[in-house]
Amino acid sequence: MTRPNIRMHSWNSSFSIHNSPFSVSMAVRLYLSNDTSARAAGAGLLADAWSDRPEAQLIRTSSRGAFFLEPMVERDSPDGRLAWFNVTPEDLPSILSGTGGTPVRSIPFLAQQTRFTFANFGETEPLALDEYQARGGLQGLEKALQMEPDAIIEELKISRVRGRGGAAFPVWNKWQVAQQTEADEKYVVANADEGDAGTYCDRMILEGDPFRLLEGMLICARAIGASRGYVYCRQEYPAAAVTLRAAIHEADEAEWLELDGEFFPIEVVEGAGSYVCGEETALLESLEGKRGVVRARPPYPAQSGLFGRPTIVSNVLTFATIPQILSRGGAWHAALGTEQSRGTMALQLGGRVKQPGLVEVPFGLSLRQVLDQFGGGMAPGARFKAVQVGGPLGSLFPASQLDIPICYEAFAEAGAVLGHGGIVVYDHQTDMADLARHFMAFTAHESCGKCTPCRIGSVRGVEILERIQAGSGTVDDLLLLEDLGETMKVASLCALGGRAPYPVLTAIEHFPAEFRNRLGQ
Amino acid sequence: MSIPMHEQVKGILQQVQSEPPNILQALLVLQEKLGHVPLEAVPEIAHTLGTTTAQVAGVLSYYPDLRVTAPGRHLIRICMGESCFANGCGRLLRALQDCLRIDVGETAAGGKFTLDAMSCAGNCAVAPTMIIDRDLYGRVLPQQIEVLLERYK
Ligand SMILES: Cc1cc2nc3c(=O)[nH]c(=O)nc-3n(C[C@H](O)[C@H](O)[C@H](O)COP(=O)(O)O)c2cc1C
Ligand code: SF4
Ligand code: FES
């Protein structure tokens, strides 16, 4: 155990944007990520330790998302980038002398991915607009500016892209409704609430490639005729908000934050720790400064959203996917993936896998393939017990069900959800009754209180699961829990209450002994 | 002499006036400046924003991040999200509780630390996660807690 384990970063301090143009020319350019998780893994420590080393010129990039290798340091070579993994400050001499590096293109975790939305990650500095453009950035927007709004929406229809925030609704359809609704003003809102525990791809985009999000929002604004944009960013992502505001400033300076010669303002608004505020109507309430309570639909936000105006609320990853659909064409996008799930998905591996990190692949790989090929199996000393896909409202899968393809249609058929692409693996030490209680308690805590099945049902659910945990539950309690779950599924107003029973009931379904053996008489 | 609370509140809110008033953003600004949103300031807030006390109180009680009492000098937040759960945040929380002798939501004697739980900092691949003030720590082990807390005075 020699690895220094305590790593931290401060949001206040090391915010290097561009490196100085006057750096010593003999210095070796070293690429080090400035992503929050890379910093938590030790990148900040390296930057501090090497800050007074003139022989090293640090360039703070986004992260490749191979977080098990972070902190990772790279340098240029005739063979492309070379990388050093899990670097400590003492490794500097060997990096400078070029010994022991691995070509990035031969890292299996990365080489086996199909990176489009995340192609820039690890390569560019988040706020370097010239690098963004040199790698194809803004081509989608340029295309869109030459197209009629109808043609943009038609291109999205051809692409068959669906929303990546959870509900997987066809993007073109929503845009068309907003476009066809008459109003004095329309809005574009990026949902950067990323509430699902176990997901972090939106955070990576906000911190690592913010121009891609802005470009996607502008294309949307052009298509529906919006005059103003907002990004609702969760309070837990301070570095993301800082980077995004800086990106908006840069885009404005470079004069591409405009439509038809008019400035298109985009404002970053921070939330206040409520999970349900990620739900689109609650988000709009919160954006208006009110309690983030779910609105009954219809009307849908595309018809009547922020301040009663037509509003497109879409996920950060969805917006970031749009520019390439325009620049490469809808047909290009439609050629990737499965029948009902076109394109690529950003999967986010976490929990007890050996190799947690971001995986962008076309839809259709099996869950097992993803866990083996990318996850690399289990963390040392851990044995697989279950995997949860789709965040805190997602179902649990036991070892026997890992052949399910990762796409909307297969998950829908299994009564599960892909959600925002979070994949969390639990090991043999996980107590399923404790986990089930944890899920129910989450819902009870986060319920917005608008409807009874969720508000009361989740509290009852917690009581029952606590009884079972304490050893005083009965067989009737298990039946009651199932009943309660069915009621919540069908009678809740939004997916928080409607999906909350799934992780609990799948835990009981796949690990019944852990509940039954605990029952009292 | 210190400025009376209602004057302070008024002064801060005058900088964030918007039409229509945005109660949540106003409360967040107040909390940033004052450390918390005192309940006794609610009538003044409502008055300055041109809304009702019921509206302000409703928003104040709704959001987990809005506090009506002053926290300790340092705010510790431990992530209870699924990836951190799988990676032993429960053991981490117990170590913190033992070390500080307080429960979640409480402030330690002397007012140094307040302990809070949160759900996901987006650091799931470097779990478990703990945040102290604005410093984020990943891959935290229970045995590191004491050394870590010593950094905060
Ligand atoms: C309880 C709840 C929480 C949600 N949280 C988020 C979130 O954090 N981020 C997100 O993009 N969508 C979230 N959604 C989904 C949104 O309501 C909405 O479907 C989505 O933002 C639409 O964007 P998309 O079409 O790009 O997927 C949530 C839904 C529910 C019911
Ligand atoms: S299901 Fe829960 S969160 Fe959703 S509207 Fe009903 S009470 Fe609110
Ligand atoms: S689950 Fe803890 S940081 Fe995401």
Side-chain angles (χ1 to χ4, degrees):
Chain A
M1 288 289 293
T2 49
R3 209 175 69 211
N5 259 309
I6 303 185
R7 274 83 186 261
M8 67 96 123
H9 85 257
S10 182
W11 290 300
N12 295 328
S13 57
S14 50
F15 220 89
S16 84
I17 294 179
H18 275 277
N19 44 289
S20 153
F22 306 113
S23 5
V24 186
S25 61
M26 292 304 290
V28 178
R29 289 165 66 91
L30 299 183
Y31 304 92
L32 176 66
S33 168
N34 202 24
D35 174 274
T36 290
S37 279
R39 286 154 69 160
L45 202 81
L46 297 182
D48 288 346
W50 298 343
S51 62
D52 55 356
R53 301 292 291 261
E55 66 273 41
Q57 181 196 359
L58 289 186
I59 297 171
R60 304 303 298 272
T61 61
S62 47
S63 172
R64 293 192 188 272
F67 289 111
F68 58 102
L69 302 176
E70 294 281 8
M72 183 160 138
V73 175
E74 299 177 21
R75 58 179 288 181
D76 293 310
S77 85
D79 212 12
R81 292 266 187 96
L82 288 180
W84 284 258
F85 310 139
N86 305 115
V87 174
T88 63
E90 298 72 48
D91 295 333
L92 186 60
S94 49
I95 297 173
L96 289 175
S97 68
T99 47
T102 307
V104 168
R105 71 163 73 95
S106 70
I107 301 170
F109 179 86
L110 296 169
Q112 294 172 31
Q113 298 194 29
T114 307
R115 289 228 169 158
F116 289 111
T117 307
F118 287 85
N120 286 354
F121 282 74
E123 296 284 335
T124 58
E125 290 177 90
L127 293 172
L129 191 51
D130 50 342
E131 291 181 39
Y132 180 65
Q133 280 187 275
R135 298 174 61 91
L138 297 186
Q139 285 174 12
L141 178 61
E142 271 160 33
K143 208 53 172 291
L145 292 178
Q146 289 152 20
M147 292 163 78
E148 288 302 318
D150 285 338
I152 300 175
I153 291 170
E154 184 57 31
E155 204 61 42
L156 289 182
K157 191 171 177 182
I158 294 169
S159 79
R160 297 180 67 181
V161 63
R162 297 168 67 170
R164 305 288 193 239
F169 197 73
V171 174
W172 72 270
N173 203 327
K174 230 157 78 168
W175 289 23
Q176 189 170 61
V177 171
Q179 190 221 357
Q180 291 175 352
T181 307
E182 300 273 345
D184 57 341
E185 261 207 292
K186 300 181 187 179
Y187 305 112
V188 175
V189 176
N191 187 342
D193 200 48
E194 195 155 64
D196 285 2
T199 65
Y200 44 85
C201 71
D202 293 348
R203 181 187 62 66
M204 289 180 67
I205 293 168
L206 297 161
E207 288 186 26
D209 207 10
F211 296 125
R212 192 171 299 279
L213 166 64
L214 300 181
E215 188 180 350
M217 289 177 73
L218 274 162
I219 294 170
C220 175
R222 159 88 186 159
I224 68 163
S227 55
R228 187 173 276 276
Y230 294 89
V231 180
Y232 185 88
C233 183
R234 75 194 266 107
Q235 172 279 142
E236 291 83 350
Y237 287 179
V242 170
T243 310
L244 191 60
R245 287 196 178 104
I248 291 169
H249 182 74
E250 297 254 321
D252 182 22
E253 295 268 290
E255 293 179 2
W256 60 265
L257 214 52
E258 50 186 54
L259 288 173
D260 300 324
E262 294 274 334
F263 177 50
F264 183 81
I266 297 181
E267 191 183 331
V268 181
V269 177
E270 282 171 86
S274 152
Y275 174 73
V276 83
C277 282
E279 193 281 334
E280 57 188 10
T281 61
L283 183 149
L284 293 172
E285 290 289 307
S286 183
L287 209 50
E288 292 178 11
K290 303 175 192 156
R291 294 159 62 97
V293 178
V294 175
R295 295 178 187 167
R297 293 171 303 186
Y300 290 89
Q303 304 160 297
S304 172
L306 191 64
F307 303 116
R309 308 308 203 310
T311 305
I312 289 297
V313 182
S314 240
N315 174 254
V316 167
L317 177 61
T318 310
F319 280 123
T321 307
I322 303 293
Q324 290 188 71
I325 293 179
L326 270 291
S327 63
R328 294 172 186 261
W332 158 79
H333 185 267
L336 295 158
T338 64
E339 177 55 32
Q340 300 294 326
S341 317
R342 304 299 172 105
T344 61
M345 183 62 190
L347 302 168
Q348 301 130 80
L349 300 185
R352 298 290 285 153
V353 282
K354 192 170 169 189
Q355 305 184 1
L358 179 108
V359 176
E360 183 181 357
V361 284
F363 286 98
L365 293 191
S366 75
L367 190 48
R368 185 188 310 281
Q369 272 175 304
V370 169
L371 292 180
D372 290 350
Q373 242 170 279
F374 298 98
M378 296 297 289
R383 290 197 304 280
F384 180 91
K385 186 158 187 176
V387 55
Q388 185 179 24
V389 183
L393 308 176
S395 306
L396 290 167
F397 295 85
S400 60
Q401 293 187 356
L402 298 183
D403 291 318
I404 184 167
I406 297 185
C407 59
Y408 299 121
E409 56 270 38
F411 271 64
E413 199 177 308
V417 285
L418 255 186
H420 187 46
I423 299 183
V424 174
V425 174
Y426 298 96
D427 72 8
H428 63 289
Q429 292 184 338
T430 312
D431 172 342
M432 285 296 159
D434 188 32
L435 186 63
R437 186 204 46 81
H438 171 86
F439 291 134
M440 255 312 161
F442 174 80
T443 303
H445 185 254
E446 297 294 344
S447 169
C448 82
K450 178 111 172 191
C451 62
T452 323
C454 168
R455 187 181 67 236
I456 309 286
S458 56
V459 174
R460 290 283 166 278
V462 175
E463 287 166 4
I464 297 170
L465 285 159
E466 278 176 351
R467 272 208 297 281
I468 293 173
Q469 258 194 308
S472 58
T474 63
V475 178
D476 283 348
D477 275 334
L478 281 181
L479 291 175
L480 195 60
L481 202 56
E482 212 162 299
D483 256 11
L484 192 73
E486 292 310 321
T487 308
M488 288 175 73
K489 282 184 195 176
V490 296
S492 295
L493 187 60
C494 86
L496 179 51
R499 290 287 326 171
Y502 284 84
V504 175
L505 296 181
T506 49
I508 299 174
E509 180 190 342
H510 301 308
F511 304 93
E514 293 198 31
F515 293 83
R516 291 228 186 88
N517 295 346
R518 275 221 168 98
L519 300 179
Q521 293 320 306
Chain B
M1 241 187 62
S2 62
I3 311 166
M5 171 68 70
H6 67 273
E7 289 295 332
Q8 277 192 49
V9 167
K10 216 185 205 156
I12 296 167
L13 289 186
Q14 261 153 13
Q15 296 157 26
V16 293
Q17 291 284 30
S18 67
E19 190 45 51
N22 190 307
I23 301 173
L24 172 59
Q25 294 307 317
L27 295 179
L28 283 172
V29 169
L30 277 175
Q31 174 156 302
E32 197 182 300
K33 298 274 196 302
L34 304 174
H36 68 295
V37 183
L39 273 180
E40 60 271 24
V42 168
E44 182 61 47
I45 299 169
H47 181 74
T48 313
L49 294 178
T51 176
T52 64
T53 51
Q55 293 273 6
V56 175
V59 173
L60 184 52
S61 66
Y62 186 78
Y63 289 95
D65 289 348
L66 293 173
R67 283 184 301 272
V68 294
T69 52
R73 287 199 298 288
H74 302 290
L75 179 64
I76 304 176
R77 289 184 296 168
I78 174 138
C79 177
M80 303 302 285
E82 279 69 52
S83 186
C84 291
F85 188 96
N87 280 296
C89 67
R91 289 192 296 276
L92 199 59
L93 179 61
R94 278 192 293 282
L96 270 166
Q97 287 169 322
D98 288 348
C99 183
L100 298 169
R101 299 199 197 154
I102 49 173
D103 211 339
V104 172
E106 294 179 351
T107 299
K112 188 167 168 187
F113 291 110
T114 295
L115 182 59
D116 249 338
M118 66 183 295
S119 169
C120 198
N123 186 48
C124 328
V126 188
T129 304
M130 181 169 85
I131 298 180
I132 305 180
D133 300 335
R134 292 176 79 78
D135 305 327
L136 185 145
Y137 299 89
R139 297 178 188 151
V140 185
L141 300 170
Q143 56 267 34
Q144 297 170 330
I145 294 281
E146 267 185 58
V147 180
L148 255 172
L149 294 187
E150 271 169 25
R151 296 181 184 175
Y152 296 83
K153 299 293 167 209

